[in-house]
Amino acid sequence: MCGIIAYAGKNNATDCIYEGLKNLEYRGYDSAGIAVKRGDDIFVCKREGRVKNLEEGINGVRGRFAIGHTRWATHGKPSDRNAHPHFVGGFYVVHNGIIENYAELKAELLAEGRSFFSETDSEVIPHLINKYYEGDLLCAVALAVRRLKGSYALCIMHENFSGVIAVCNKSPAILGYGKGEYFVCSDAPAIADMAEEICVLCDGDIAVITEKSVKIYNDRLELQVRERVANFASKASLDLGDCPHYMLKEIKEIPTAVQNTITACEAVDLQKLSAFLQGVDKVVLTGCGTAFHTCLIAKDWVEEFCSLCAVAETAGEWRYKKSPVNEKTLVVAVSQSGETADTLEAARLAKKYGARVIAITNVGYSAITRIADFTIPVVAGAEICVAATKSYCAQLISLWFLIAVLAKVNASTYEQLFKRAYTMPQLCEKTINGLSLDALCEKIKEASGVYFIGRGLDCAVAKEGSLKLKEVSLKPGEGYASGELKHGTLALIDKSTYSVAVMSDENLCEKNLSAIKQITARGGKVAAVCSCKEYIKKLLSVCDFVISIPKCDRALSPIISVLPLQYIAYKVAVLCGCDPDKPRNLAKSVTVE
């Protein structure tokens, strides 16, 4: 969840790190810091808040080696003191991840007479390196990290070493290769347009980076060769264009993300995937947050089109359950970043018990792709806003492709099923272009609570709509199955609340209409999102607002019906004075458990 970046090369490291930290702002953070090697000493600047708070402190500072960090607090409140880098005895460290045994290590180090400056788990790391250092920095780092339990990507500098050491374990660390310069980062956009090639470190790797070379060792300090690939991250993807926020820009990019994902899925080796799916008798779909909501939808698809038992579970819960899986179980792990800690652990557990694992991810070089047996790509492009929008729609296309192939294995026709998605890019564009919801958003802004309801596939969409609104506008509320209102939620309804009903299945419209009347009868106001034209007139007579969306394939309707809900979340956030791109307390890539 934190961001790390390091530089070794011929240019001014301070400028490169500051630019990289700005590129990492989308991950979400509460403080930032930088350490720059200037000859025989190392300069440090750490500030609570945004990256721009560093600018005055680092002005005029020059050096050829530096490390930087954006922190998302896990241990210790946001403050200058708790910001990274942490340093002890000439050793400087930035850390992404979480050290699970830090309390035990800290107690040991305190007993040895050492002092701690911060409240963080990360500070034990420079203490351990200092403890084991006897003139060989690589050896000291290797001994120190062997004591650590948890997840960590580290960048380390020492006053007597002209370079940077990077370490990776269950947290992303990417090497970047430029012209006479090298980088380390937690996410490729950090070094967009700076590095021509990248290399993803494997768990246990220790990389020694100087201005002349990069050497990668495993945890036994044996030299390794890791594949280098082109760095496709571009500053162009970080450009807001004519949009005031990334969230709005990314909503507008949904038609392209959907089309690009359709094209990428069609390039997947169909024969190889079909063979991999032979004999599957149960499907477990797992993810977190928005990814979990796509799993809920795909669960219904599996049951309807593949006639297989399917379950959707949040990864953070499923990994602790004694859920029966075996070699005939397919586990589908969905993660936008491919680095979501709980989803990675769920995938590892599935592999441990012999299940087949497929990854659905937007990042082809991420950790989830190295765990999974097979990866189906999501091609949404860089998603900078913390709240997922275009990745949700693109994930559904990838899941639809998987279900189409699985249906083929179970005697259906893949081509006919998958081709039903071909109209989605145009329908997405038509829907987005037709949104005019400012008056509704003004009303929702004033509501004390906002409740989203739906039946069938629309229930998952309601949950996603509620999540989006809570994330970016801080409006309390929830997403519910329409039929559950009368079993408790109606107690919350009064004239100060607002509800949004999602209606895209004509077979369930009458039931949804009944739920709407239950709300209005208790003074609540309702807006309806409906694709069933024959119900629009009925809705206008009972609803405060009606959003008519294009009619589309019932099974694929969650890709369309979510679009007004995403826009509502965005607009209400802006009206409430919130930054929709950087929600309070949240981060883009959740790499801690």
Side-chain angles (χ1 to χ4, degrees), residues 415-487:
E415 290 82 2
Q416 289 182 353
L417 198 56
F418 189 61
K419 283 180 179 177
R420 288 163 63 172
Y422 287 5
T423 61
M424 300 314 293
Q426 294 79 14
L427 286 171
C428 286
E429 187 163 10
K430 181 179 179 182
T431 304
I432 292 167
N433 290 340
L435 293 176
S436 179
L437 306 175
D438 290 4
L440 170 62
C441 294
E442 288 281 1
K443 294 181 178 183
I444 290 177
K445 173 199 169 189
E446 301 302 325
S448 62
V450 186
Y451 303 96
F452 293 76
I453 61 171
R455 284 181 177 267
L457 295 173
D458 292 333
C459 178
V461 177
K463 291 177 183 294
E464 175 61 12
S466 177
L467 176 62
K468 283 291 151 288
L469 187 66
K470 284 182 290 191
E471 279 182 299
V472 300
S473 76
L474 310 183
K475 278 285 178 186
E478 199 51 82
Y480 290 98
S482 298
E484 287 296 295
L485 278 173
K486 54 188 174 291
H487 298 293

Side-chain angles (χ1 to χ4, degrees), residues 198-343:
I198 60 173
C199 164
V200 181
L201 293 181
C202 297
D203 286 352
D205 280 353
I206 303 175
V208 180
I209 303 112
T210 67
E211 59 184 338
K212 294 183 178 179
S213 68
V214 174
K215 293 182 179 179
I216 302 173
Y217 302 85
N218 63 15
D219 55 3
R220 297 182 298 279
L221 298 186
E222 300 165 333
L223 276 170
Q224 302 295 304
V225 176
R226 301 290 182 226
E227 181 184 12
R228 289 163 58 170
V229 298
N231 180 19
F232 294 107
S234 168
K235 285 291 285 288
S237 65
L238 304 178
D239 184 11
L240 277 167
D242 60 356
C243 292
H245 299 97
Y246 284 112
M247 186 173 182
L248 181 60
K249 174 178 180 276
E250 288 161 11
I251 290 171
K252 291 182 176 182
E253 290 173 344
I254 286 172
T256 301
V258 168
Q259 181 58 64
N260 288 345
T261 303
I262 289 172
T263 302
C265 287
E266 289 183 316
V268 170
D269 189 330
L270 191 60
Q271 186 174 359
K272 184 177 178 181
L273 178 57
S274 297
F276 177 74
L277 295 173
Q278 287 288 342
V280 165
D281 64 7
K282 179 183 177 182
V283 180
V284 176
L285 300 119
T286 189
C288 300
T290 289
F292 170 65
H293 294 154
T294 67
C295 292
L296 287 173
I297 293 162
K299 169 191 176 294
D300 285 3
W301 288 345
V302 173
E303 292 174 340
E304 179 175 354
F305 299 107
C306 306
S307 299
L308 291 173
C309 174
V311 294
E313 299 268 10
T314 56
E317 292 298 314
W318 186 76
R319 55 178 289 211
Y320 295 112
K321 286 186 174 182
K322 294 182 179 179
S323 182
V325 298
N326 54 39
E327 68 280 357
K328 292 185 177 181
T329 306
L330 174 65
V331 174
V332 184
V334 186
S335 168
Q336 186 280 138
S337 66
E339 304 289 351
T340 310
D342 280 325
T343 308

Side-chain angles (χ1 to χ4, degrees), residues 512-528:
N512 276 309
L513 189 58
S514 175
I516 290 170
K517 290 177 179 178
Q518 292 170 27
I519 295 170
T520 58
R522 287 153 179 86
K525 297 181 180 65
V526 182

Side-chain angles (χ1 to χ4, degrees), residues 251-252 254-255 393 423-437 529-531 533 547-552 556-567:
I251 290 171
K252 291 182 176 182
I254 286 172
C393 295
T423 61
M424 300 314 293
Q426 294 79 14
L427 286 171
C428 286
E429 187 163 10
K430 181 179 179 182
T431 304
I432 292 167
N433 290 340
L435 293 176
S436 179
L437 306 175
V529 177
C530 185
S531 62
K533 305 304 179 186
I547 305 165
S548 178
I549 59 174
K551 186 74 174 176
C552 71
L556 291 163
S557 63
I559 297 172
I560 301 299
S561 57
V562 78
L563 301 177
L565 309 188
Q566 292 176 344
Y567 181 82

Side-chain angles (χ1 to χ4, degrees), residues 496-573:
S496 72
T497 62
Y498 212 101
S499 299
V500 180
V502 185
M503 302 168 61
S504 58
D505 186 342
E506 60 186 16
N507 295 320
L508 298 172
C509 280
E510 201 62 45
K511 293 291 186 182
N512 276 309
L513 189 58
S514 175
I516 290 170
K517 290 177 179 178
Q518 292 170 27
I519 295 170
T520 58
R522 287 153 179 86
K525 297 181 180 65
V526 182
V529 177
C530 185
S531 62
C532 307
K533 305 304 179 186
E534 61 273 26
Y535 273 87
I536 298 296
K537 188 174 181 180
K538 291 182 181 180
L539 290 169
L540 286 169
S541 68
V542 293
C543 291
D544 186 57
F545 206 96
V546 177
I547 305 165
S548 178
I549 59 174
K551 186 74 174 176
C552 71
D553 187 298
R554 177 194 57 81
L556 291 163
S557 63
I559 297 172
I560 301 299
S561 57
V562 78
L563 301 177
L565 309 188
Q566 292 176 344
Y567 181 82
I568 288 169
Y570 166 74
K571 187 65 179 180
V572 172

